[in-house]
Amino acid sequence: MRNSALRLLSAVLLGLCAAATASAADEISSWGRPIVDAVPTPSPPSIEAPSFILVDIDSGTILAQRRPHEPWKPASLTKMMTAYVVFRELSAGHIDLDDEVSISEQAWRTQGSRMFVEVGSHVAVRDLLQGMIIQSGNDAAVALAEHVAGDERTFAQVMNQEAERLGMKNTHYTNATGLPDSEMRTSAFDSARLAKAIIQDHPEYYGWYSQRSFTYAGIEQHNRNRLLWRDESVDGLKTGHTRAAGYNLTSSAQRGDMRLIAVVLGTANANARAQQSHQLLNYGFRFFETHRLVSAFQPLEEALGPIEEPVRARAWKGDEQHIELGVGRDLFVTIPRRERQNLRASIHVDDRIVAPVERGEPLGTLEIRLAGEVVHSEPLVAMHGVDEGGLWRRVIDDIWLRFQ
C-alpha cells in the first residue's frame, strides 16, 4: 500500500511540474490587477470583514479589496484544495468516481463537521466528494486524502505543490480538512485564485458546489452556503469556520456572461459572511461589465475593428516577409458599465524580428485604453510561424538591417 502510494505521489508531482508551462505562469502573473480608475464609479460597499476580495474570473480584475494578501486561517476553505487535487486525479484517470474507498479509523475519528461514514465501510469517491463539498465532512476529506496519497500528511504535500503551481503565495496546508493548525494559512486573493481554478479547470464537477443538500446513510445535511437560497445566480463555493478563523466564505455567481468571485474572511457570524459576500457581488454586477475583446489567435482587425497601426510585422531573413499579429489567449477586460464604445486599442511591435519565428512567439504589445489610461496590456504574438529564408533572402535582409 505504501509503495503504491509513493508511486502515485511521484506521478502526481511529475504531472504538476509538466503542467507549469510558461503560458500558465504568464496567466497567473497577469491575474489579479486592480480596476483602473479611468472613469468615476461608486465606491465599494462598506463591509466589516477584515480581509476580502471581489474579482472577475475572466479578466482577473479586482473590483474591491481589503488586505487581500493577508494570511488567514482557512478553516474548511481548505476543502476547496482537497477537492481540486481529487478532481485532477479523476481527470488524469488515476482514480474513478465509482472507486470504493475503505474508511479507516483515522478518517472515522476525525473531529468537527462530519458526513458520518462508518469505520471499515466502503464508500464511493462520488459520495465522499459530495459529503465533503456539501456537508463539509472532515471524515470524507481524510478518507479521500488517504485514497489518493496513502495518508493525509503526504496528501498535504500534494496540496502545497498545487498551491505553488497556482501562484498561491500566502497559502500553506498541513491537513485536508482545515482543522486548526498553527502552520495553516491562506489569503482572500489565494482563495479567489483557487476558486477560479476549480471552476475553469474542472467544470464537470463544479455543479456539486451549488447542491443545497446531500443525504448519506439516511442523514440529510444542508449546504452551509446561505447564498444558494438567496440568489439564483450564486452557484458555489465553500464556507469555513473555526474560532480562530471566524466565518469565511468563498462564493461565485454568474449573471449573463460575467462571473465574479467574492471572498470574505473573518466575519462575525454565518449570516454576516453571506450578507457581506452578497453586497460585494451585487456591487460588481451593478457597476461593471466584462467583455471578451479578442479570442486567441483571432485577427485583431476582425475583433477590434480598424487600428491605426499595422497589425502585422516585418519578418527579416524569413521565407515570408510579414507575420500576422494576434494574442495567444482570449483577452477579457472589465470596465465600468456603458463604456465599451470608449475603448481604444493600440499596438507596439518589436523593432527587429528575425526569422525563424515560432507561432505564439511574443513580438510586441497590445494596449487597451479607456479615457487615456491603459486598462489592459497583452503580449502580441505571431499568428503563424515563419521559417528561415534562403541564402539570397538572408544576405539581402542582412544588408538592409545594417541601415535600420
Side-chain angles (χ1 to χ4, degrees):
M1 174 68 178
R2 181 174 178 82
N3 289 337
S4 62
L6 289 175
R7 286 195 300 271
L8 176 58
L9 176 61
S10 298
V12 172
L13 296 181
L14 286 173
L16 296 181
C17 293
T21 61
S23 60
D26 291 342
E27 182 177 0
I28 287 172
S29 64
S30 65
W31 198 84
R33 302 175 302 274
I35 188 77
V36 174
D37 190 19
V39 177
T41 54
S43 299
S46 178
I47 67 173
E48 297 179 357
S51 177
F52 67 82
I53 193 170
L54 175 69
V55 60
D56 181 272
I57 191 172
D58 290 313
S59 69
T61 302
I62 298 174
L63 305 179
Q65 60 182 327
R66 175 186 293 148
R67 297 196 290 273
H69 300 289
E70 181 175 332
W72 202 265
K73 298 297 183 183
S76 283
L77 297 189
T78 300
K79 297 186 180 83
M80 290 169 57
M81 180 58 84
T82 302
Y84 186 71
V85 172
V86 175
F87 294 159
R88 280 179 61 84
E89 289 293 280
L90 287 165
S91 296
H94 297 155
I95 61 175
D96 189 90
L97 286 174
D98 294 324
D99 284 353
E100 293 288 325
V101 178
S102 178
I103 304 302
S104 69
E105 184 172 350
Q106 178 71 25
W108 174 69
R109 288 186 178 276
T110 305
Q111 299 298 308
S113 54
R114 305 190 61 180
M115 177 185 171
F116 297 107
V117 293
E118 294 293 337
V119 64
S121 64
H122 292 80
V123 184
V125 168
R126 183 193 314 273
D127 290 334
L128 289 171
L129 277 169
Q130 292 179 85
M132 179 180 69
I133 291 170
I134 302 160
Q135 299 174 337
S136 200
N138 291 335
D139 49 359
V142 173
L144 287 167
E146 292 175 344
H147 183 64
V148 168
D151 60 63
E152 190 178 8
R153 182 176 180 179
T154 304
F155 186 83
Q157 295 178 42
V158 182
M159 295 170 71
N160 289 321
Q161 289 282 344
E162 286 289 357
E164 182 178 1
R165 184 181 67 85
L166 293 173
M168 299 168 62
K169 297 180 180 180
N170 293 297
T171 295
H172 182 75
Y173 300 108
T174 60
N175 60 55
T177 61
L179 286 171
D181 186 285
S182 61
E183 296 183 10
M184 289 276 282
R185 63 183 180 274
T186 192
S187 68
F189 183 90
D190 287 358
S191 294
R193 190 185 292 283
L194 177 54
K196 164 186 160 64
I198 290 172
I199 294 167
Q200 294 188 334
D201 294 353
H202 300 287
E204 67 273 31
Y205 306 121
Y206 182 61
W208 281 325
Y209 285 96
S210 64
Q211 193 169 322
R212 295 182 178 182
S213 65
F214 179 62
T215 301
Y216 179 77
I219 303 172
E220 182 182 21
Q221 296 188 67
H222 295 283
N223 197 314
R224 293 171 171 81
N225 184 358
R226 297 183 181 183
L227 291 184
L228 296 177
W229 283 265
R230 299 183 184 182
D231 187 336
E232 291 185 354
S233 70
V234 175
D235 53 15
L237 292 158
K238 191 72 188 72
T239 62
H241 169 251
T242 63
R243 181 175 297 179
Y247 289 81
N248 304 335
L249 174 59
T250 299
S251 57
S252 183
Q254 181 166 355
R255 300 180 190 176
D257 293 331
M258 186 177 184
R259 177 178 285 280
L260 299 178
I261 297 169
V263 182
V264 297
L265 302 177
T267 62
N269 53 61
N271 190 59
R273 71 184 173 193
Q275 182 179 3
Q276 293 174 32
S277 297
H278 205 207
Q279 288 177 311
L280 287 171
L281 292 169
N282 284 335
Y283 167 77
F285 286 120
R286 171 64 181 84
F287 294 109
F288 300 93
E289 57 190 16
T290 297
H291 300 275
R292 185 203 304 261
L293 295 185
V294 188
S295 297
F297 295 100
Q298 178 186 13
L300 293 182
E301 287 183 313
E302 176 184 309
L304 300 176
I307 304 177
E308 293 181 2
E309 299 89 346
V311 293
R312 61 179 186 167
R314 176 72 162 90
W316 298 97
K317 301 185 182 182
D319 62 352
E320 298 180 46
Q321 288 193 328
H322 295 94
I323 306 175
E324 299 296 326
L325 303 176
V327 294
R329 60 183 179 183
D330 293 354
L331 190 161
F332 294 87
V333 295
T334 301
I335 56 176
R337 283 197 170 275
R338 295 176 291 278
E339 292 291 334
R340 170 67 177 87
Q341 71 277 6
N342 296 322
L343 289 175
R344 298 291 181 267
S346 62
I347 67 174
H348 309 275
V349 182
D350 295 348
D351 291 334
R352 293 192 178 192
I353 300 170
V354 179
V357 177
E358 295 184 0
R359 182 176 187 265
E361 184 175 334
L363 300 175
T365 305
L366 169 66
E367 290 186 345
I368 307 297
R369 295 177 180 269
L370 177 64
E373 293 191 44
V374 176
V375 296
H376 188 88
S377 180
E378 186 76 12
L380 277 175
V381 302
M383 298 275 283
H384 57 85
V386 175
D387 293 328
E388 191 175 55
L391 177 61
W392 180 248
R393 170 54 58 193
R394 298 199 306 274
V395 170
I396 293 298
D397 281 0
D398 187 63
I399 295 173
W400 278 108
L401 283 170
R402 295 174 185 271
F403 295 95
Q404 297 299 310

